[in-house]
Amino acid sequence: MAGIKRQLMLWGTGKPGADHSATGAATVVLENAAHLSALLGSDLVGPNSTVFVPGLVEDGGTPEGPVLAGYEGSLSEPGAECSLGSDFYLQIQNYGISAYMSVVGPTLIRVADDMDLDAYLADADEARRTGVFPDFLTNPVIQLADLPALGAGPAGDGPRRRLHAGQDGTLSTAPGGAPLGVLGEDTLDELEARWLPGAATAAAAPVAERPWLGRYLAAVGAVRDLRARGAADVRVSGFGGRLGAAARAADAEGPVADGTDARLPLLLWSGETAYVHDPASGRTFGLDPVAAGLAEALLVSGSTAAAAAHADRDGLERVAAYFADAGITLGAAGDRSGELVTAGS
């Protein structure tokens, strides 16, 4: 069940998942169970695909694949609920009303129309200006749907990663997304050729006007991760301010190195404790105040040489070397997978 839930959330969010066979899409959601035969007779699924089928009583499939998983409810209608078996329930909500709704369990929030998009952009602008992130959006049980269309970038998205088949068999990467073809009529290669990166939903964010949106989404994920670990009142460097004097001085000179790249590590703090979070791998490093100030200066300046104009060079080199030993460069995305470690331990 854990693997099935993970596939469902990867499909909903559009986050890149594990490697899969080049044959078929990684995850397909059917809105109409009558389309299952047509799907299985197509090249849209392969041995490693997972297919979510409404009303399927018993999960299954064959050793040759794909995996078939039943669900009840809806994965596309805002205000609806989807259940997998008897122990996992996923709420579906529109972004615009989510700030006013009580969180009762795992929730997938969709930016479904222009009103939702306006609310999303207003919250992102506020966070960038003041450092205050929407409380509901950083709740550990909430995930934002269709991240590639909201500024996260298209890497890892597309028909080979996820597909949605509507009630009439129309195929897209997500509910409300640009139609790519019709089940039973189009091949996976044809869907891939028609796919436009960033068009996962009808309300795609204007990334050209806000090139920092990917960085914002990375910050939302980092704050959510720390809240899940018990941290409160989490702040993010570059959103409403900086932690240390060296970073503030480098920021004032501009341009900053950590302004728009969603792959770069983030410097966060909660009370007296600071952290570096690597979005690419999910690793989070706890830092003492001195190391945090040096790490932040490196992130803002982009290099040891530039940061040395505002901070102790020997200290900068030690901090840079510590993270390099961990496989992460403060100035480039890390590439190792997730654990919480403490600098100097």
Side-chain angles (χ1 to χ4, degrees):
M1 178 60 76
I4 295 295
K5 289 190 289 186
R6 179 176 181 274
Q7 286 300 115
L8 180 63
M9 297 311 296
L10 289 173
W11 174 85
T13 61
K15 292 179 180 178
D19 291 338
H20 61 90
S21 170
T23 305
T27 308
V28 182
V29 169
L30 297 177
E31 292 286 345
N32 187 339
H35 291 146
L36 180 58
S37 294
L39 177 68
L40 296 179
S42 74
D43 75 339
L44 303 182
V45 293
N48 295 324
S49 300
T50 299
V51 180
F52 290 90
V53 185
L56 186 68
V57 176
E58 187 173 341
D59 295 348
T62 67
E64 295 77 27
V67 175
L68 303 181
Y71 74 93
E72 298 291 339
S74 174
L75 284 162
S76 61
E77 296 178 19
E81 180 180 79
C82 165
S83 63
L84 301 180
S86 59
D87 62 350
F88 180 75
Y89 296 85
L90 180 67
Q91 306 290 322
I92 313 295
Q93 288 182 183
N94 272 18
Y95 189 99
I97 67 168
S98 293
Y100 311 103
M101 301 292 287
S102 298
V103 178
V104 296
T107 303
L108 188 66
I109 294 178
R110 294 194 179 282
V111 175
D113 54 32
D114 288 340
M115 291 183 62
D116 285 340
L117 181 60
D118 288 344
Y120 165 72
L121 294 175
D123 285 343
D125 288 341
E126 179 71 6
R128 184 168 170 82
R129 183 177 66 86
T130 68
V132 177
F133 291 79
D135 184 72
F136 74 91
L137 195 56
T138 59
N139 189 306
V141 301
I142 281 181
Q143 293 287 332
L144 189 58
D146 305 316
L147 295 173
L150 299 178
D157 198 22
R160 293 189 182 278
R161 287 292 180 185
R162 57 180 185 146
L163 282 173
H164 171 263
Q167 284 287 345
D168 62 355
T170 299
L171 295 165
S172 59
T173 54
L180 300 176
V182 177
L183 185 59
E185 298 179 11
D186 296 284
T187 66
L188 189 55
D189 284 343
E190 289 171 332
L191 302 184
E192 187 80 9
R194 296 171 189 148
W195 177 66
L196 295 175
T201 69
V207 178
E209 299 173 12
R210 294 173 175 83
W212 45 266
L213 278 174
R215 189 78 174 156
Y216 167 71
L217 290 172
V220 167
V223 174
R224 184 187 295 126
D225 182 73
L226 286 178
R227 285 187 62 182
R229 302 171 188 266
D233 301 320
V234 180
R235 298 292 306 275
V236 184
S237 180
F239 290 83
R242 300 290 187 179
L243 173 63
R248 288 194 292 271
D251 197 327
E253 291 182 353
V256 298
D258 66 344
T260 61
D261 194 338
R263 300 167 299 173
L264 297 181
L266 295 137
L267 191 288
L268 306 94
W269 68 95
S270 172
E272 297 298 316
T273 305
Y275 308 87
V276 164
H277 177 82
D278 175 38
S281 65
R283 298 181 79 184
T284 299
F285 298 75
L287 302 175
D288 64 42
V290 174
L294 294 168
E296 185 184 34
L298 287 165
L299 287 168
V300 176
S301 300
S303 70
T304 301
H310 308 287
D312 173 64
R313 188 181 187 98
D314 288 342
L316 291 168
E317 290 177 347
R318 286 195 298 271
V319 170
Y322 169 79
F323 281 99
D325 287 345
I328 293 173
T329 301
L330 299 184
D335 63 356
R336 296 192 181 180
S337 59
E339 60 183 297
L340 180 66
V341 298
T342 303
S345 63

